[in-house]
Amino acid sequence: MVEFLVSAGVVALAEIGDKTQLLALVLAARFKKTWPIVLGILCATVVNHGMAGAVGTLAARLIDAGVLRWLLGLSFLAMAVWVLVPDRCDGEEAGTAARHGVFVTTFVSFFLAEMGDKTQIATVALAAQYSAPFLVVAGTTLGMLVADVPAVFIGGRLGEKVPVKVIRIVAALLFAVLGMAAFFIS
């Protein structure tokens, strides 16, 4: 259960101010169709993070435990730095909804936006660290929803209530703690 909670917390914090959260805001403001957007986010995240969890689990099996511990520690420390860098959403993804519908546009946009993103890399690292890939993927998916669904429902007002800079710092500290823990806890 710790795997689930840590994964959810790490991704929820990392997602605040991320380009996919900004994409959720853009899509919600433009199309005003809450449930197709939420469902698109959910489905894209399950598929994307499911693949990331599989990669992390495979890495844990193929890489020596000592080497993996150092790789995980370094990846979490890199994530601590990366989460401090703000993302920008260019809004181009929203232009395809007229042709494909809001759900498909959201699904494709979120899936592609997550490729190589902080939360996908975190999912790979968490799945490699823990031997419970389903709990990790469920946790990271919940974390994405915790951060992105409110953005869909309340749109631009989210930024007024939550200081993104403070949340980025908290997320960076959490990643740094996980990185240090990976070095010392086997």
Side-chain angles (χ1 to χ4, degrees):
M1 191 62 157
V2 169
E3 301 90 342
F4 174 79
L5 295 173
V6 168
S7 298
V10 163
V11 168
L13 285 172
E15 184 64 9
I16 301 295
D18 191 72
K19 67 181 168 275
T20 48
Q21 187 183 50
L22 297 174
L23 179 59
L25 289 167
V26 167
L27 292 171
R30 180 163 182 187
F31 300 114
K32 296 171 182 41
K33 295 197 177 203
T34 304
W35 292 110
I37 295 170
V38 169
L39 189 58
I41 293 168
L42 171 64
C43 293
T45 302
V46 167
V47 172
N48 192 291
H49 288 201
M51 293 182 342
V55 168
T57 300
L58 182 62
R61 290 184 184 150
L62 297 177
I63 300 172
D64 174 68
V67 172
L68 183 62
R69 183 172 58 235
W70 279 96
L71 288 173
L72 289 172
L74 292 173
S75 70
F76 281 123
L77 292 175
M79 292 294 298
V81 173
W82 190 6
V83 80
L84 293 172
V85 179
D87 285 321
R88 281 180 260 140
C89 179
D90 59 17
E92 289 177 18
E93 297 91 347
T96 62
R99 290 177 294 205
H100 304 291
V102 175
F103 169 79
V104 171
T105 298
T106 302
F107 178 87
V108 171
S109 298
F110 266 77
F111 183 83
L112 293 176
E114 275 297 296
M115 296 303 289
D117 195 48
K118 294 179 278 232
T119 51
Q120 186 190 43
I121 304 291
T123 302
V124 170
L126 289 162
Q129 182 176 7
Y130 297 116
S131 61
F134 293 109
L135 287 174
V136 167
V137 171
T140 60
T141 299
L142 176 64
M144 287 287 287
L145 294 174
V146 163
D148 291 338
V149 170
V152 173
F153 279 99
I154 62 175
R157 291 184 286 167
L158 181 67
E160 297 170 9
K161 304 257 188 250
V162 181
V164 175
K165 184 177 181 177
V166 171
I167 292 171
R168 285 187 187 284
I169 292 169
V170 170
L173 289 172
L174 181 56
F175 276 117
V177 167
L178 287 170
M180 296 307 292
F183 288 130
F184 300 108
I185 299 172
S186 42

